[in-house]
Structures are given as C-alpha cells and as structure tokens.
Amino acid sequence: MDEPSTELVESSARLLDLIRSGAADTRPELSARTGLGRTAITQRVTTLLDAGLLEEGDLNPSTGGRQARTLRFRRDAGRILTAELGATGYTAGVTDLMGTVLTMRHCDVDIARGPETVLSEVESTLDELLTGIGGAAGDVWGVGLGLPGPVEFATARPSEPPIMPGWNNYPVRERLGARYAAPVWVDNEVNLLCLGELRTPGSAVDLGDLLYVKVGTGIGAGVSHAGHLHRGAQGCAGDIGHAAVSDDNAVVCRCGKTGCLEAVAGGAALARDGTELARSGASP
Ligand SMILES: [Zn+2]
C-alpha cells in the first residue's frame, strides 16, 4: 500500500476528532464542518472504519430529508498506558482511547533510584493494571509518561534533570516503545497536568492562557498561551523549582545548588522546617 499523503492523514485526523469530541456524527455533518466534498469524506471515513477507529451507528432521524448513518468513535478499540512520575512516587493508569481512566494505582518509589529500577517498577505496575481489566499487550495503542524534570520533547529524553541522577539523556521512548510495540510520548509531568486542565471539559478548557504550578516534594510549572503548551529550550520553560530565590547559602537544595525555590518552599522543605520547629519547641 502506498504511504498516504500528509494532507490525507491530517484531514482524516480532523474528521476523527470531530466525531470523537461529539461535534459531528454523520457524513453530511462532517462535510458541513470541514467543507470537504462527499467523495473526500467517504474516502476518509472508509479509511477510518478500516483502521478500526470508527464504527457505523444507527440512522440519524433528525437530519431531515435523507437519513444519514451515524458514526461512532471506537473508544474501546485500544488502551493507553499512562504514568505520572513525581520525586517520591508515581501514579500509573490505563485509559480507553477517549482518555477515560479505567484503572489506576499510586506507588511509592524514589526517582533518584535511576531509570532502570524506576521504569521496571512502572512497567510491572502497568502490566498488572492492564491484565486486571482483562487487557493484553496487543491492546496497547500508546504510552504516555510524565517525568519530574525537564524533558526534550522531540527525543523524549530527560534533559539534565536536577533531581534525577542517572536519567540524563536516558532513552525512555526507545525502552517503552520496544516493550509495548506502541508509540510513546514523554514530557515533564507538570506540562502534562497543564495539558490535562486545558483539554478536560470543566477545567481550564476555555482559558488558553494558563500557569499550572505543582507543589509536591518539588515545585514545577506548566506554561500555556492560547491553548499551546510552551516547553522552552530543552523543555526547561516551567522548571521553576531550581530558580534562585534566596541569597542564603544555608539553603541547600537536593540538586546541589543553594537558594532554589523548592529548597525554600517545596514539600520536602516544609517538612524539614516543620520538624525543626517542633524539635526546637518553637511550635507544638
Ligand atoms: Zn535546586
């Protein structure tokens, strides 16, 4: 089979998105929404049906004149594996193709134990979750992973992450792609939280301009303008946790530098200060 043209792939993806989002569910509606002619619509819809992404539904009685057959997105055609990794633990889950979470679990693991150990644990958890809902390896259509440090999005490799020894330039995509035989996306975890807010109805979906700040053990931010995530050079745009905010040399960060934001205000810093105050009797 010849490789389909970029235009064909993009317009087919657009049709799929219209159906997936509920904006259109018949061929005439797709035509009205996109301006594509009947033949073009038929060709693309047939491709999407053959690919298993769409299925034919009932006749739509409300369109007037000739009834049109509805089209449905096959949300259960495949499964997506996801994991959000923080400094001290991760949340792993399996979703359908709409992104609806079918099962999830939180586990503790120190990100500083390195990629081999941490990713092995994440993979085992994902395998168990998938099996738990009756899924098999062949059902996996994609893998999405968030990491608690800068990630160069194009290569899916951590980019000098301050708190992740052993992770710099680690081939995360290659590893997971080989294991699950599916496309893999890797990004900074807070970028993904930001994207989630932008795309989930009921949250920031109509805002577009958004600063999403996560304060966990560390601190990170996702930056979006006009609905587009800004990752910055080497994925460092929202990496505010290690920006210097204090001249006090006694404020030592776990990244090795002094005066970092998260060494002052991150969860680990708050726990440290609280413990100290309790020990010294300054606070009960
Ligand atoms: Zn730091």
Side-chain angles (χ1 to χ4, degrees), residues 242 253 255 260:
H242 302 276
C253 183
C255 76
C260 294

Side-chain angles (χ1 to χ4, degrees), residues 77-178:
R79 298 292 179 232
I80 307 292
L81 304 181
T82 66
E84 185 240 342
L85 281 69
T88 56
Y90 64 91
T91 303
V94 182
T95 79
D96 64 16
L97 298 182
M98 284 288 274
T100 303
V101 178
L102 304 172
T103 177
M104 65 188 277
R105 186 189 299 168
H106 183 82
C107 304
D108 292 331
V109 69
D110 186 351
I111 196 81
R113 288 174 66 197
E116 299 289 343
T117 305
V118 174
L119 289 177
S120 293
E121 288 197 21
V122 171
E123 288 162 358
S124 304
T125 303
L126 288 170
D127 293 346
E128 279 176 32
L129 288 171
L130 185 64
T131 311
I133 56 168
D139 299 331
V140 177
W141 279 31
V143 183
L145 201 73
L147 295 175
V151 173
E152 190 183 62
F153 188 67
T155 59
R157 293 181 180 220
S159 173
E160 299 182 19
I163 59 155
M164 299 167 60
W167 285 81
N168 185 37
N169 211 28
Y170 185 85
V172 181
R173 170 176 288 151
E174 288 79 353
R175 175 183 173 129
L176 293 171

Side-chain angles (χ1 to χ4, degrees), residues 84 188-200 203-204 207-216 219-225 229-230 237-241:
E84 185 240 342
N188 172 271
E189 49 141 3
V190 190
N191 281 346
L192 295 180
L193 293 170
C194 184
L195 272 182
E197 294 299 320
L198 287 168
R199 295 185 182 172
T200 309
S203 40
L207 293 180
D209 294 353
L210 180 69
L211 278 176
Y212 185 110
V213 179
K214 179 190 173 191
V215 183
I219 298 176
V223 183
S224 93
H225 173 59
L229 194 63
H230 286 260
D239 193 39
I240 59 174

Side-chain angles (χ1 to χ4, degrees), residues 9 11 38-39 63 79 81 93 117 138 150 160 170 173 184 186 194 205 210 214 228 238-239 257 272:
V9 171
S11 59
R38 198 166 140 180
T39 310
T63 45
R79 298 292 179 232
L81 304 181
T117 305
E160 299 182 19
Y170 185 85
R173 170 176 288 151
V184 178
V186 184
C194 184
V205 78
L210 180 69
K214 179 190 173 191
H228 294 284
D239 193 39
K257 295 181 188 160
R272 175 201 64 206

